[in-house]
Each structure stands twice: as C-alpha cells, then as structure tokens.
Amino acid sequence: MCRGLAALPSTCIERAKEMKVHLGHFLHKSKVIGECDSVSPAKQEKLPKITKPSTEDALKGGQLFEKLLTNKRGVAAFRAFLRSEFSEENIDFWVACEEYKNAKAGSKLPLKAQKIYDEFVKVQAPKEVNLDSLTREIVTRNLSEPNSSCFEMAQERTYCLMEKDSFPRQKSFLTKLLEEKKVICSQTEKN
C-alpha cells in the first residue's frame, strides 16, 4: 500500500472500497452498447447523432435527464445505476417503448406490443414496472388496437418516476464520489 493511503483512517479506506464496487457497475460495458455497435451501417444512418455529455453536464440539473436519454452511453450508465438499485426494468421499459414508437406500422406491431405488455406491464410480469391500476388498465385497453402511442401514458409515468426519483440519486452519488475523490487526492498530495 502506498504511504499516502496508509495514513488514512480505515473507515475512509472501507468507503473507498464501497465506491469501487459501485463504480464497477458503471465501468462494466452494458449489453446495450454492444447491441448498438453491432447495428448495420444503413440503420446507423437513420439513428439520431449521439454526443457524449461533458462531466459538467453530468452534474447539472434542468433538462439533463432528457439529454442523458438521448445518449447511448448516458443510457448505459443510468442502466448500470438502476441495476445497482434493482430497478433496471424502468429504463428497459422506456427504451422498449421508444423502439416501439419508432417501429414501422405493420403486421408485427401487435406482436411487439404484446411482448412489451407481457414483459413489463402485465401484473407479475418478469420485469414489471411500477404503474397505478388506472394506467395499467388504459394500456390493456389500448392493446385491443395497438398503435404507436398505446404505451404513451405508462412510458410517461415511468419517465417521471426515473426523473424525479432515480436520477437525482444518481446525480447525488456521482457528486459525493467526485467530492470524496478530491478529498482523498488532496490528502495523498499532502503526505
């Protein structure tokens, strides 16, 4: 162990180890990034251009959550955070709804709608999202004649939940992490 870290109290070192575990979730390459990288060049041209947010943007409020969801790395990092909180189904549902809205209308649309419903909306679904009974009932009725907006209300509810609940916790976690890193670095430099 380096001399600088040896001078730190054991609780500080334990906290650093906890942060390392949490960061492991962020540093682990998400399946989504791999899937996005394997998209054919023809389909990549149709996708919106994605830019990497700056570190300053990552800690600012306002419309940052919306910006985060337009960035594949941002979605992957947020998914990793949600995974650490055991609520990954929210971002998975939101992404599935976005893909569904952008799908071409055709004979496969009802099948895609049923798949999303079975995976996320149905009571006791494998990745059931937290929806009130009225929203769940409206989505169920919308499935009788699926269209590009049949999950709109449920997606909006999930978006609000992530924006108001999960995202602030992620921002708070990242802020604390950066502050602790500054403290550890300044203590190491002094020794």
Side-chain angles (χ1 to χ4, degrees), residues 1-127:
M1 190 181 314
C2 69
R3 201 170 53 177
L5 289 177
L8 294 174
S10 62
T11 55
C12 186
I13 293 172
E14 288 172 18
R15 180 68 182 130
K17 288 178 182 176
E18 289 174 17
M19 289 189 311
K20 181 182 175 186
V21 170
H22 284 283
L23 277 176
H25 292 291
F26 292 109
L27 298 176
H28 186 286
K29 191 169 183 178
S30 176
K31 293 177 189 174
V32 170
I33 290 178
E35 291 170 5
C36 289
D37 292 341
S38 65
V39 173
S40 70
K43 287 186 179 180
Q44 283 181 358
E45 290 177 14
K46 294 178 183 177
L47 293 173
K49 298 297 179 206
I50 297 173
T51 58
K52 183 177 179 183
S54 68
T55 306
E56 291 176 11
D57 282 347
L59 297 175
K60 287 182 182 175
Q63 298 177 345
L64 179 60
F65 185 63
E66 188 174 323
K67 187 175 180 180
L68 175 96
L69 294 178
T70 62
N71 180 296
K72 70 178 179 181
R73 288 189 175 95
V75 170
F78 190 56
R79 176 179 277 118
F81 177 77
L82 291 177
R83 186 179 305 129
S84 74
E85 291 200 331
F86 304 101
S87 59
E88 184 180 7
E89 68 278 354
N90 292 323
I91 191 70
D92 289 344
F93 175 68
W94 186 86
V95 168
C97 289
E98 284 297 299
E99 290 171 355
Y100 178 79
K101 284 194 297 191
N102 295 323
K104 293 180 181 177
S107 62
K108 293 185 179 182
L109 205 59
L111 293 173
K112 288 179 182 182
Q114 189 63 48
K115 182 180 178 187
I116 293 171
Y117 178 83
D118 290 342
E119 189 173 357
F120 299 104
V121 180
K122 184 172 72 172
V123 176
Q124 299 297 316
K127 293 182 173 183

Side-chain angles (χ1 to χ4, degrees), residues 100-162:
Y100 178 79
K101 284 194 297 191
N102 295 323
K104 293 180 181 177
S107 62
K108 293 185 179 182
L109 205 59
L111 293 173
K112 288 179 182 182
Q114 189 63 48
K115 182 180 178 187
I116 293 171
Y117 178 83
D118 290 342
E119 189 173 357
F120 299 104
V121 180
K122 184 172 72 172
V123 176
Q124 299 297 316
K127 293 182 173 183
E128 183 180 357
V129 290
N130 187 5
L131 297 173
D132 58 274
S133 59
L134 178 62
T135 303
R136 195 176 309 275
E137 185 180 319
I138 290 170
V139 170
T140 305
R141 272 191 266 141
N142 288 346
L143 280 180
S144 63
E145 294 181 33
N147 59 37
S148 62
S149 64
C150 67
F151 294 105
E152 192 171 315
M153 182 183 249
Q155 185 184 21
E156 188 176 303
R157 299 264 195 260
T158 303
Y159 179 93
C160 289
L161 177 69
M162 291 187 299

